[in-house]
């Protein structure tokens, strides 16, 4: 049984850099953001479902979903955001479960930005790993990479758990307040820890529940 680590963190916290560092050490990674992008492509089930729910304005000229338009609509109106999540999240979760089920490594990372907010995939993970940084750092990073205004970034952050609430639910934390050079040593330490934990897991699912559900 593969140990499943749920990697999460606020927007701009550095989840992608952290997951890449784990991947470099041989850990398989399933990223729900990547799945969401795949489901946005023209002709996919996700694209068809969102287009049916939100109309032609939600579709870009190439037939894929207009993610910029959808993001702005969703974070301007909580009701629209909930409707978008209800349309896409079940499809994303089903695909994530299918990919995780194929893992054979000692442990793997399931990257879910809203792991703690929606709870849909939370029962699947054994441990919660939070990538953390100050909120001002989140704003600066997101603005630099996306061109969003500060108000738009903070609207996205407002839809996520506050930093303190996220940290309160973490089993493990990576501090990404500084430069990316600080990530690999922290990842290497957790890699050793997760591999050691994985060795203690039952080889048969019938032998017991997940470690994370037994207080590990």
């Amino acid at each position: 049984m593969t140990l499943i680590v749920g990697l999460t963190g606020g927007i701009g916290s550095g989840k992608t850099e952290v997951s890449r560092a784990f991947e470099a050490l041989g850990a398989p990674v399933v990223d729900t953001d990547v799945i969401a992008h795949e489901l946005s492509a023209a002709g996919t089930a996700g694209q068809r479902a969102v287009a049916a729910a939100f109309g032609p304005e939600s579709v870009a000229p190439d037939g894929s979903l207009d993610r910029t338009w959808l993001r702005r609509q969703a974070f301007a109106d909580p009701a629209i955001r909930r409707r978008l999540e209800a349309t896409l999240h079940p499809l994303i979760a089903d695909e994530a479960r299918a990919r995780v089920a194929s893992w054979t490594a000692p442990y793997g990372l399931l990257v879910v930005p809203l792991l703690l907010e929606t709870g849909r995939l939370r029962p699947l993970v054994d441990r919660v790993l939070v990538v953390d940084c100050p909120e001002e750092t989140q704003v600066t990073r997101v603005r630099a990479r996306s061109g969003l205004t500060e108000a738009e970034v903070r609207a996205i952050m407002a839809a996520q758990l506050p930093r303190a609430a996220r940290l309160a639910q973490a089993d493990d934390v990576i501090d990404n307040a500084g430069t990316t050079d600080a990530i690999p040593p922290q990842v290497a330490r957790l890699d050793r820890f997760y591999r050691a934990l994985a060795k203690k897991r039952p080889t048969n699912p019938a032998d017991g529940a997940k470690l994370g559900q037994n207080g590990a």
Side-chain angles (χ1 to χ4, degrees):
M1 291 176 62
T2 299
L3 180 79
I4 302 173
V5 178
L7 174 64
T8 193
I11 187 172
S13 60
K15 296 181 292 297
T16 299
E17 289 83 356
V18 170
S19 67
R20 285 174 179 163
F22 274 103
E23 205 165 22
L25 295 178
V29 173
V30 168
D31 191 327
T32 56
D33 264 355
V34 172
I35 295 173
H37 276 278
E38 292 172 357
L39 290 174
S40 299
T44 61
Q47 185 269 351
R48 291 193 299 269
V50 172
F54 293 90
E57 286 183 304
S58 65
V59 180
D62 65 358
S64 65
L65 292 179
D66 188 335
R67 293 173 62 86
T68 300
W69 182 88
L70 284 165
R71 181 179 60 238
R72 287 184 171 146
Q73 298 299 314
F75 290 106
D77 186 336
I80 292 177
R81 184 175 70 250
R82 288 191 294 270
R83 186 153 57 100
L84 179 61
E85 290 174 351
T87 303
L88 276 180
H89 283 191
L91 298 173
I92 295 169
D94 285 347
E95 181 61 25
R97 290 189 191 96
R99 296 185 186 189
V100 166
S102 70
W103 285 348
T104 58
Y107 80 93
L109 267 70
L110 176 59
V111 185
V112 189
L114 298 179
L115 177 68
L116 303 175
E117 287 84 349
T118 68
R120 186 179 296 273
L121 288 170
R122 178 65 182 85
L124 191 63
V125 308
D126 299 297
R127 296 187 71 83
V128 174
L129 170 59
V130 168
V131 185
D132 179 61
C133 70
E135 292 181 353
E136 290 304 320
T137 303
Q138 290 180 250
V139 173
T140 300
R141 287 174 178 166
V142 177
R143 292 197 66 193
R145 78 187 187 200
S146 67
L148 295 175
T149 67
E150 180 172 350
E152 288 173 322
V153 177
R154 291 195 179 277
I156 295 172
M157 291 169 62
Q160 300 178 332
L161 278 180
R163 182 185 183 191
R166 187 183 301 114
L167 287 171
Q169 297 187 54
D171 295 301
D172 310 299
V173 177
I174 284 184
D175 180 359
N176 192 28
T179 65
T180 56
D181 293 344
I183 292 176
Q186 298 180 76
V187 168
R189 176 182 59 81
L190 284 171
D191 174 74
R192 293 190 295 270
F193 175 61
Y194 293 148
R195 290 180 186 277
L197 269 185
K199 289 181 180 179
K200 301 176 183 178
R201 293 176 61 77
T203 56
N204 187 331
D207 292 341
K210 290 190 178 108
L211 282 173
Q213 295 172 341
N214 283 306

